[in-house]
Every structure is written in structure tokens, then in C-alpha cells.
Amino acid sequence: MTQEREPLLQNGGAGNAAAAKGSPALLPSLARSVLKFLMWAVFLSWAAGIFLYPTKPVQAAFREWAAVSKNSIFGITGTVFLAFSAPILIVAALAYVYIFTFPRDHVEKKKLRSLSFRLWTFPVLVDGPFGVVSAVEFIGIVLFIVYVVFSMTYYVVESVSLVSKSHLPPTISSELILDTVGARFGSVGLFSMTFLFLPVSRGSVLLRLIDIPFEHATRYHVWLGHLTMALFTLHGLCYVITWFLEGRLIEEIIQWKEIGVANLAGVISLVAGLLMWATSLHPVRKRYFELFFYTHQLYVVFIVFLALHVGDFVFSFAAGAVFLFMLDRFLRFWQSRAKVDIVSAACRPCGTVELVFSKPASLRYSALSFIFVQVRELSFLQWHPFSVSSSPMDGRYHMSILIKVLGTWTDKLKSIITDAEENKTRSHPEQSHTGRITASIEGPYGHESPYHLMYENLILVAGGIGISPFLAILSDIIHRIEQGMPCAPKNVLVLWSVKKSTELSLLSAVDAQNISSSVSEKLHLDIQAFVTQESDPPLEEGIVEGEQKAPGIFVKNGAAISGLVGTGDNFWAAMYFAASTLGAVLAYALVQVYYVKRFNVYAWWHLGLLLLLCMAAGVALPGGLVVLLWHLSEKRRVQDDRWDTDASTVKDGAEDEQTTNGAAGADAAAAATVAALRTTRYGCRPKFQAEFMAFAERAGGAAADVGVLVCGPPGLQTSVARECRSQNLRRGGGKSGAVFHFNSHSFDL
């Protein structure tokens, strides 16, 4: 019989037990500090090396190092890789050691002892091209701008100085400066591309370590994508202008050199990048999402031809980040192969689709998680992100999502379900019906730290279907209080704006519908609903309140959600990373000894292709073997858990029935439903200033530490962030008041 792993968010007593022993806790604390110091030291050294790379001292030191190591097996490619790619892999390796040794340390967040602002939750910018930007994000944006400006200024000044000393004719001097500056744009763009691939690795251990969920990391990927492609475009433009002035434009474009960069490969890579960039612009992405999605698959062409363009040692500047992305992508491929059982697929009265997926008990997620869903009857390539609407406390074997019908994909999904429900009603309504929905899942991803449990005072602001993650949060809080688990929230205000009153029935999706007297004594829950496009309550409001979702259909596809995900088992994820990394290094060493040196391979494009193939081989072969063993381990765990569940059901069935009936009788009279706590207002929107100030006054006035979570369209996020900033600045101006911590839970793809 296997022991069940405790939930990721569960605060166990291990820390308290260690503290009670006194001195034995010193060693884990020291190990934790050493690991943190090492990770910070490696990362800061790496970042400083990139920032100062244009300067003469760093260039001189790098040339000396390259001269010493050029006769090694890996040559200058190994030198570049060790300096600019290995550090990020070392940080990743240390991160795996950290989260495996201290599995709850990186997900536990404690309430602040005193009121103060937090850089992650203080919105600095609320309008503009970047959307809502926190203080930390603003610092990051400024640092990137400073890096680009500093690097290009240094390069331009150096180039002009060198050319001016050569006393060349003005035309030749201009062309030479343009040529040099173009190369420098490419160099800075390559470093920007290093950061571009880090946030797009959904299950990356680096994102898990610093607790940046994928929906936030996507924003950073978008920002870095604009910067990288702008630099690469200027890089190509400088060369095109130079070649045009020299009268060799076509000849240079189609050139594929053996020694030096292959121009044609660079043109192909740049064209693929420009197509991805153009279709990712917000107006295009919003109106033609499928076009954006399909053109973004050109990233394979972009990476491969970039390696062919610059060769192995130049590509090594960004190879580490690309390798981490390849690790994540290969693992996602394995997970997405499973066809997942759908416990229930139903359409709710408001037209929203609810899907409940089968999952193994060992697969951990939080109330703030996202999953990516593919329905093969609709598309083999499209994957759509959805926030979960269920809490881990709702059940060990299922996970649910709510889907609003907005586009072609969601409309077709609803049609499949409604057609199956109609067939079920006409044929055998008393029997379960199996429809044709072949679903695959990637994830879960998202916040691992339960930051909604950090605050005693919580404001949840939702727009429309944005209530979905907050249903999971409410269920999570209620269940935790019922079971006596650690739970900080004591005052919760929900501000929910909908267009039509029919959407209010979504509150019935909360698993914990009944709030007992014991819960209501510890939790003050206030739900304010605002129906913006109706001035009066509908006559059938009472009927609408009583509506329930259709019974739904059951789809047997043969498996639960696969546990092969980067946010899954820490041990197997670490083994997968180690095997793939060592396999790639070994493959490259063997290729160098038995192929490159033996057959005197010297073409840059050929060496770049070999480096990329060795990276892929390391992921697919030794990494693939570890993933296979991981898959077999998960299957065995699921089977053992199934036997345990059957045994405990037979043993405890009668006892549970007796105790449940007794408890239900005692609390039945005092229980209130979640819907009964809702106050509905028609023809208006929430006035955030008044609502926030009134809530802060009820929660403790100037001593209130309020967490604000928003899920909805960009306009709603902007309004809430502006109010949080206004309230905080008013307090910082000498007036006492609550501190409002802004948190966004919106996937703006």
C-alpha cells in the first residue's frame, strides 16, 4: 500500500517539529541559505557578464579564456557555452536540489508581520502598452532598456572611433560602420533571445522557484519577443542597406558560406520571426487567433535556421535557454499523448460549458492553476488555456473548468455536448451516455504558492467568466475551515460584474455550496453581483436561481490526466533534467571526437546543426528513457491508489454514512448556501473606491492588510490596479489606511 503524497499547498507540521527540536533545525536552515546564495551568485554573475560583455575588460578576459580552452574537446564552442549557457543550467540544477530538499519552502508564503508595500503587488503603471506593471516588473523593464541602450551606445562609439582612425573614404566608412552596428544589433538580440525562451517554458523549474506562474510569464515573453525581433530586424536592415549601397544585395542574400555566417539561413530565420511577430501583435492576435497560433509554430524554423546562420559557437550564447525550452516541450508532448476521461461534460443554463476531467490522486494543483485543453474533434493543433474552477479540496480524482462560448472553437465544443445530451434524452435518459470528445490535457501550471491564503482580508474582483478561479478559491477556503486546516482569510468580499442575470447561476458551480455555522463564525463572506445590461431583476429570477446544469455526458477515453508535467513529481523531473543535460554533453563530445575532428568538419552551418541535433538527442534519448520510467512509475502509483481506494471504501462506507448523517442533522438548520450570501444590483457597475474603503473599514481600518485578486478583461484590471495604487499612495502621503496588494489572475494571450 503506497502512502499518499500530501497536497502541494498543505502546510505540514514538519517545520514546527524541527523547530521544537532546536539545534537539529540549524543544518537544514544552513543548507537552505547556502543553496540560495549559490543560485543568486551564479545568476548575478551570469547577468553581469551579459551586461558588461561589450566592454573591453570583459572582451579581453573572454579572449584569454578562449585561447586557453580552444584546444579542448569542445573548443571555443565549449568556452562560450560554459560562460553564457551553463550558468542558467547550473541555476536550474540547484533549483531542483532546492525544491526536492525543501519541497514546501518555495510554496509557503507567510503573512507579513507589519503593514508594508510589496514590490510584486504594488502597481506602478496601470495604463500604456505594457498594461498593469508592478514595481518589480517596472524595474525589470528599466534594466532591459538600460542594457540595450548601454550596449548599443558602447558598440556604436567604439565602431565610429575605430573607423575614423582608418582614414577611409566617407562612403566606405559609412558602410563599414553600418556593417559593424548591424552585427552588434544581432549580438544584443541574441542575448535578448536567451531571456525570451525562459518564460515560455511552462513547467520550468526556474519559474517554479521564484513562483512566477505561466500566465504572468507569458506577458514577459511577449515583451521580450517585441524587443528581440526589433533588434533582429534592425540587424538585418543594416546589412540589407549596406549590401544595397555596395550593389550586391541579391548576391549577398542568397549566399551560404562555409566559413562565416550563412546569409540565406539568416534571411529564412528572420522571415519566420517576422511572420510570428506580425501575427502576434494585439489587433491581429485578438481577431485572428488561429492565424497567430499556427504561424507561431514557425519557431522551429526560426531556431533551426538561426543555428545554421550563426554556427555552433555563436549559437552557444543562447543554447542554454533553448535547451530548457526543448526539455519542457518534449515533456509536454509526452503528457499530451494521453486521452483523458471526461467525468462530466455539460452545458449550464447560462450557456457556459463545464468539463470535469479525471485525474490521479498524485497529480497536484492549486485553486489558481491553469490547464491547456485540446479536443481532437475540433483541432489537432489548437491548445486553449483555462483556469480551474475546482479546488484540490473538492476531490482527489477530478478537476473541473468552466468555458464561456466566445469563438468558433468553443461554439463547436458546445454543439458536440448539446447534441450528445439531446441524443441521450431521446434514447435512454436513465443510462450514462458516451459522446465523441477526445480530450488531451497539458498542465496544471500556475501559482504554486497559495497567495490567496496569505491575507486575512481578501477582495476578489471578477468580470463575467472571470469568476471561475474564484469559485475554486471560495471552495478551497470553505473546505479548509471545515477541516480545520491553516487558512488565513477571515473577511472575503466578491465583486462580480456580469452582463446578464443568467450568468449568476455560475455560483452553483462552487463545490462547497452549504456554509455551516462553524464556518460562518470564522469566515465573513460577502458576494456583490452587478448586472450591467439589465436595469431590473427578471420576473423569472426565482426560477433562474433554482436552475441546475444538465446531467451531462460521460466520455471514456481510457486514462486520467497524465502526471508527466514539469510541476509534477520533483524527483523524476530532476532526473529528467540531469539525464538530458548529461546526454546532450556526452553526445556533443562524441560528435566532436568521432565526426568533426575525424572528418575535418569546419563549416559553421554544419557545426551549428550538429550542436542543435546533440541537444535534441540528449532530450529524446536519455531524457526520453527517464520519462518512460516516470510514466511507468505513475501508472503503478495510480494502480496502487485504486486498490487503496477500493479497500478504504469497503471498510469505511458504513461509518462514513453514520457520521455524515449525524453531522448533517446537527448543522442543517444553521447552514446557508453560497447563493444566499449574494446581493445583486442591476444597471450599475461596482464603485471600487467606495467598496474598497468600506471593506477596509470593516476589516480593521488602518491596520488592514488587504489582498486584491482580479480576473477579467484588461479594462477591469486597469480600473482595479488604479484604485489599489490610489489607495496606497494616499496612505503613503501621510494618511493612515489599509494596504491593498494587487494580484492579477488573467491569462491575456
Side-chain angles (χ1 to χ4, degrees), residues 202-225:
R202 298 175 186 173
S204 170
V205 67
L206 300 178
L207 298 182
R208 296 181 62 195
L209 181 70
I210 55 180
D211 195 31
I212 296 181
F214 180 66
E215 69 271 17
H216 288 190
T218 302
R219 300 176 66 212
Y220 310 150
H221 174 72
V222 172
W223 298 345
L224 289 165

Side-chain angles (χ1 to χ4, degrees), residues 280-531:
S280 68
L281 297 175
H282 187 266
V284 180
R285 186 177 73 247
K286 206 69 177 175
R287 294 186 60 184
Y288 307 102
F289 180 81
E290 291 189 6
L291 177 63
F292 153 75
F293 183 86
Y294 290 128
T295 54
H296 239 62
Q297 309 311 309
L298 291 173
Y299 73 86
V300 178
V301 176
F302 176 76
I303 294 174
V304 171
F305 280 90
L306 177 63
L308 296 175
H309 171 57
V310 298
D312 57 341
F313 75 91
V314 178
F315 187 74
S316 296
F317 282 96
V322 174
F323 184 72
L324 289 178
F325 173 76
M326 293 170 66
L327 284 171
D328 180 76
R329 190 64 191 89
F330 184 72
L331 193 59
R332 284 162 46 197
F333 168 76
W334 270 80
Q335 188 191 26
S336 63
R337 293 175 65 246
K339 300 176 183 178
V340 179
D341 292 338
I342 301 178
V343 178
S344 173
C347 293
R348 290 191 164 269
C350 59
T352 301
V353 173
E354 181 180 38
L355 298 180
V356 183
F357 299 103
S358 172
K359 81 170 193 69
S362 58
L363 182 65
R364 303 168 299 179
Y365 73 104
S366 77
L368 298 166
S369 292
F370 280 88
I371 60 173
F372 283 75
V373 180
Q374 177 207 54
V375 177
R376 300 184 184 183
E377 283 75 16
L378 305 180
S379 173
F380 274 91
L381 293 178
Q382 290 189 37
W383 291 83
H384 293 266
F386 300 99
S387 56
V388 299
S389 59
S390 60
S391 159
M393 310 294 294
D394 293 346
R396 301 168 60 201
Y397 299 100
H398 72 274
M399 175 192 300
S400 61
I401 60 173
L402 294 172
I403 304 173
K404 185 175 183 178
V405 178
L406 292 173
T408 305
W409 189 90
T410 52
D411 185 62
K412 290 180 180 178
L413 176 62
K414 181 182 177 181
S415 299
I416 293 175
I417 296 173
T418 52
D419 291 345
E421 288 176 345
E422 291 176 359
N423 293 335
K424 172 183 174 181
T425 304
R426 288 196 299 265
S427 55
H428 301 284
E430 71 284 352
Q431 298 179 4
S432 63
H433 185 81
T434 300
R436 287 184 54 82
I437 304 179
T438 309
S440 297
I441 304 295
E442 287 184 5
Y445 307 107
H447 272 290
E448 296 195 15
S449 64
Y451 68 83
H452 64 286
L453 301 178
M454 292 168 51
Y455 309 100
E456 288 188 1
N457 309 296
L458 200 59
I459 298 179
L460 308 177
V461 185
I465 195 62
I467 194 65
S468 179
F470 297 157
L471 300 179
I473 288 176
L474 291 178
S475 182
D476 195 45
I477 293 173
I478 294 171
H479 280 311
R480 284 176 174 273
I481 295 176
E482 287 177 341
Q483 299 180 23
M485 299 178 64
C487 185
K490 293 179 173 55
N491 300 293
V492 179
L493 170 64
V494 180
L495 301 176
W496 182 24
S497 300
V498 297
K499 293 181 179 180
K500 301 292 183 180
S501 57
T502 53
E503 297 181 54
L504 299 177
S505 63
L506 286 176
L507 274 180
S508 63
V510 178
D511 181 77
Q513 276 295 308
N514 295 321
I515 302 178
S516 63
S517 59
S518 59
V519 174
S520 59
E521 291 174 358
K522 300 178 181 178
L523 176 66
H524 182 269
L525 176 60
D526 183 15
I527 302 176
Q528 300 286 338
F530 299 84
V531 183

Side-chain angles (χ1 to χ4, degrees), residues 137-148:
E137 293 169 340
F138 180 75
I139 293 172
I141 292 172
V142 170
L143 288 176
F144 266 98
I145 293 175
V146 170
Y147 163 68
V148 173

